[in-house]
């Protein structure tokens, strides 16, 4: 996964490092190409060991805090699935974003496919507005415009990483919340 440099994202990342009273928000948004580099090709081969095909489907966990009755989709599938190749892209993105951690043992059930773009935007807006208030509300439009320009959000599958506290890079004492969302545009072969 190659980090795609973006001066707009850098400016937003600087703005997302916010001190509010006793709290500190460390926000980061990055864009990655889904083209595998040398070491990732070898990891991908190990990830798809003998007998496993890249198109084999893996079960995902249901999205956190989302009720099936809210969606009105009572007759839909019991769980979402993801191909091994797409799962590898999510894991490789985590490895690139957090180089001090190794996520190669992450399992599909630690990821969820999010029900909608609006659901994810609301979740992010709610967390950041509750903590950073007016400061975030003034940054909100700039953030979402930059993401839209980078990845075309309506064409994306959206996933979240929901590890147990021991696996979460931010699951340390004093952390009130953290979230990791992945907007994956297959056409552009890019993840934000």
């Amino acid at each position: 996964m190659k980090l795609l440099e973006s001066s707009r994202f850098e400016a937003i990342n600087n703005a997302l490092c916010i001190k509010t009273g006793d709290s500190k928000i460390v926000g980061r948004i990055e864009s990655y190409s889904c083209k595998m580099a040398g070491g990732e090709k070898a990891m991908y081969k190990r990830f798809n060991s003998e007998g496993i095909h890249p198109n084999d489907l893996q079960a995902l966990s249901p999205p956190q805090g989302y009720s099936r009755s809210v969606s009105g989709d009572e007759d839909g599938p019991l769980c979402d699935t993801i191909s091994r190749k797409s799962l590898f892209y999510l894991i490789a993105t985590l490895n690139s974003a957090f180089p001090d951690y190794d996520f190669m043992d992450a399992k599909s059930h630690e990821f969820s496919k999010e029900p909608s773009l609006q659901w994810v935007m609301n979740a992010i807006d709610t967390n950041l507005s509750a903590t950073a208030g007016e400061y975030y509300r003034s940054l909100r439009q700039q953030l979402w415009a930059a993401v839209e320009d980078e990845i075309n959000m309506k064409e994306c599958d959206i996933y979240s990483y929901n590890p147990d506290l021991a696996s979460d890079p931010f699951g340390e004492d004093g952390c009130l919340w953290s979230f990791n969302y992945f907007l994956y545009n297959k056409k552009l072969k890019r993840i934000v």
Side-chain angles (χ1 to χ4, degrees), residues 49-187:
S49 58
E50 220 173 286
I52 297 176
H53 190 271
N55 292 328
D56 286 351
L57 298 179
Q58 304 283 291
L60 298 168
S61 288
Q64 292 186 342
Y66 187 78
S67 164
R68 290 178 59 76
S69 61
V70 169
S71 72
D73 190 13
E74 296 294 331
D75 298 325
L78 294 177
C79 70
D80 288 305
T81 57
I82 189 170
S83 72
R84 291 282 297 176
K85 187 172 190 176
S86 295
L87 179 61
F88 178 81
Y89 287 153
L90 298 181
I91 292 170
T93 300
L94 282 170
N95 279 332
S96 294
F98 302 102
D100 294 342
Y101 295 87
D102 180 5
F103 295 92
M104 287 311 294
D105 290 331
K107 305 294 182 219
S108 63
H109 65 82
E110 294 177 290
F111 293 89
S112 301
K113 185 170 184 182
E114 296 302 316
S116 72
L117 172 61
Q118 193 59 52
W119 176 262
V120 170
M121 290 175 73
N122 288 344
I124 292 170
D125 289 345
T126 298
N127 277 335
L128 293 175
S129 291
T131 311
E134 193 55 44
Y135 179 82
Y136 174 70
R137 285 188 280 282
S138 69
L139 179 64
R140 180 188 182 281
Q141 185 175 350
Q142 179 185 350
L143 179 143
W144 292 117
V147 173
E148 175 61 28
D149 290 348
E150 182 70 15
I151 198 135
N152 192 353
M153 294 186 292
K154 288 179 178 59
E155 292 182 359
C156 293
D157 288 327
I158 305 172
Y159 300 94
S160 62
Y161 176 57
N162 307 301
D164 59 34
L165 286 177
S167 303
D168 189 346
F170 294 106
E172 50 197 52
D173 289 344
C175 180
L176 299 176
W177 49 260
S178 70
F179 53 82
N180 294 285
Y181 290 105
F182 304 85
L183 286 83
Y184 174 36
N185 187 317
K186 288 180 187 174
K187 250 194 266 185

